[in-house]
Amino acid sequence: QVQLVESGGGLVQAGGSLRLSCTASGRIFSCDAMGWYRQAPGKQRELVAAITSGGSTNYADSVRDRFTISRDNAKNTVHLQMNSLKPEDTAVYFCNVNCLVSTEITLETWGQGTQVTVSS
């Protein structure tokens, strides 16, 4: 019922920047929490950053002060601006959204993931 389109991953040198975007579409009334997770090879998926519909944010300690999450509620879109990238940021990044699809049902949806590779 909710489709996600992610964009913005790629290969960048250490110290560079990338911007990830994720747009939710479908029968959506509104979206509450939206966020980004990442999973590196051999590691568990971890929260990178999240933002509520009111704009409250939460960041992993490892990315605080380097990454910025933002959203456009009218477009059901969430962005992740990643600056000062490090090789340890290399991972598949997944968009995660929680959207109201009826008057009583909130649906959690995961994106398919976008690869971010940071070379040293």
Side-chain angles (χ1 to χ4, degrees):
Q1 284 181 302
V2 176
Q3 295 80 42
L4 299 182
V5 176
E6 300 168 328
S7 63
L11 173 64
V12 65
Q13 289 188 333
S17 298
L18 285 174
R19 180 178 169 88
L20 305 183
S21 296
C22 173
T23 298
S25 63
R27 185 178 173 84
I28 297 172
F29 286 68
S30 64
C31 290
D32 188 11
M34 305 178 82
W36 291 93
Y37 289 70
R38 68 186 180 187
Q39 187 166 19
K43 295 187 177 181
Q44 290 188 333
R45 190 173 297 188
E46 63 175 359
L47 173 69
V48 177
I51 184 169
T52 67
S53 57
S56 296
T57 58
N58 182 35
Y59 293 94
D61 289 341
S62 60
V63 307
R64 198 181 307 276
D65 299 328
R66 298 188 298 122
F67 292 9
T68 302
I69 191 169
S70 61
R71 63 187 286 168
D72 183 335
N73 289 333
K75 297 180 180 179
N76 293 325
T77 297
V78 60
H79 305 286
L80 185 68
Q81 178 66 44
M82 305 185 292
N83 298 329
S84 302
L85 282 160
K86 303 176 181 180
E88 50 263 44
D89 294 317
T90 295
V92 178
Y93 284 69
F94 297 89
C95 177
N96 175 274
V97 303
N98 295 270
C99 298
L100 195 65
V101 296
S102 74
T103 56
E104 297 180 348
I105 298 174
T106 297
L107 189 66
E108 180 183 28
T109 306
W110 288 90
Q112 63 182 15
T114 184
Q115 177 71 45
V116 171
T117 303
V118 185
S119 63
S120 57

